Amino acid sequence: MYAIVEIAGQQFKVTKGDELFCNRLAGDVESAVTFDKVLLIDNDGNTRVGAPVLEGAKVDAKIIEHLRADKVLVFKKKRRKGYQTLNGHRQDLTKIRIEGITE
């Protein structure tokens, strides 16, 4: 059984027991979160598709930790003009574990 769920503006394909990284969620470590924007559920070939979401379906998860991603360097340069700049960015992430999918 798997589901496609929208978490923090992104869509993920999840099954029970999966651990994934998503954009920072509000909540403490070891707290439970519930996502109700379930777009699709497949249960052994029996597929239900929402329009746009499935009513009554939800995905339960648990926050494992809050962390930051690796640094991404943004380098800009204009040739022969003496212009160059270097910026860095680290995205705030949350690691979650999927506890269950409810139809």
Side-chain angles (χ1 to χ4, degrees):
M1 171 185 249
Y2 71 89
I4 296 178
V5 62
E6 183 176 334
I7 301 172
Q10 296 178 318
Q11 295 178 6
F12 294 95
K13 179 181 176 182
V14 297
T15 58
K16 185 178 178 188
D18 282 353
E19 292 184 356
L20 55 104
F21 297 97
C22 61
N23 289 331
R24 182 65 59 100
L25 297 174
D28 297 326
V29 175
E30 300 296 323
S31 65
V33 291
T34 302
F35 306 109
D36 56 355
K37 289 188 177 181
V38 179
L39 307 174
L40 179 140
I41 290 181
D42 181 69
N43 191 1
D44 297 327
N46 183 15
T47 305
R48 292 179 45 213
V49 180
V53 295
L54 290 170
E55 297 297 326
K58 65 179 181 173
V59 174
D60 298 319
K62 184 177 185 180
I63 296 176
I64 298 173
E65 65 177 323
H66 295 295
L67 57 129
R68 299 186 77 189
D70 294 335
K71 183 176 277 191
V72 176
L73 297 177
V74 180
F75 180 71
K76 296 180 181 179
K77 180 179 177 164
K78 297 189 183 205
R79 64 183 189 156
R80 297 188 301 268
K81 305 299 180 197
Y83 168 78
Q84 63 183 23
T85 182
L86 179 68
N87 291 319
H89 174 75
R90 291 185 72 186
Q91 185 71 32
D92 293 327
L93 300 176
T94 299
K95 185 176 182 181
I96 60 173
R97 179 184 301 119
I98 304 300
E99 299 291 327
I101 300 171
T102 306
E103 292 189 55

